[in-house]
Amino acid sequence: MEGLSLAYALIGIGAVLLLAELLIPTGVLFIIGLLAVIGGVALTFTYGETSTGFITLIVVLIAFPLAISVGLWLYPKLPMGSQGRVAPKE
């Protein structure tokens, strides 16, 4: 596997693990996913040009907070997320 392909695969795997952390809250998936994303961004600087690394870093820094906000908005609508809420009294 080529260097940049490995970097982008690590970023993708990290994103999937961070998403899985919402469904299976353990803490371990969060740490592994975060390390995979950081490692993927570091590999883009190593195997690609500096501009490729900075573009990847900027995209990750914009995309991940947006994905987190969408996930937090969507989580209460999931069956697992609605179990933690107390129904309002009428």
Side-chain angles (χ1 to χ4, degrees), residues 1-87:
M1 183 177 270
E2 199 173 311
L4 283 176
S5 299
L6 177 64
Y8 294 134
L10 272 176
I11 292 171
I13 290 169
V16 168
L17 288 174
L18 290 173
L19 179 65
E21 178 67 29
L22 280 175
L23 301 174
I24 310 167
T26 61
V28 176
L29 293 175
F30 176 77
I31 293 170
I32 294 171
L34 193 62
L35 288 175
V37 170
I38 291 170
V41 171
L43 284 177
T44 59
F45 279 102
T46 303
Y47 290 113
E49 297 178 4
T50 306
S51 62
T52 306
F54 277 117
I55 290 171
T56 304
L57 179 64
I58 290 169
V59 167
V60 166
L61 289 177
I62 290 172
F64 275 82
L66 287 174
I68 289 171
S69 64
V70 168
L72 290 175
W73 174 77
L74 187 63
Y75 186 70
K77 295 170 179 39
L78 295 173
M80 184 180 201
S82 63
Q83 290 176 358
R85 289 188 291 169
V86 178

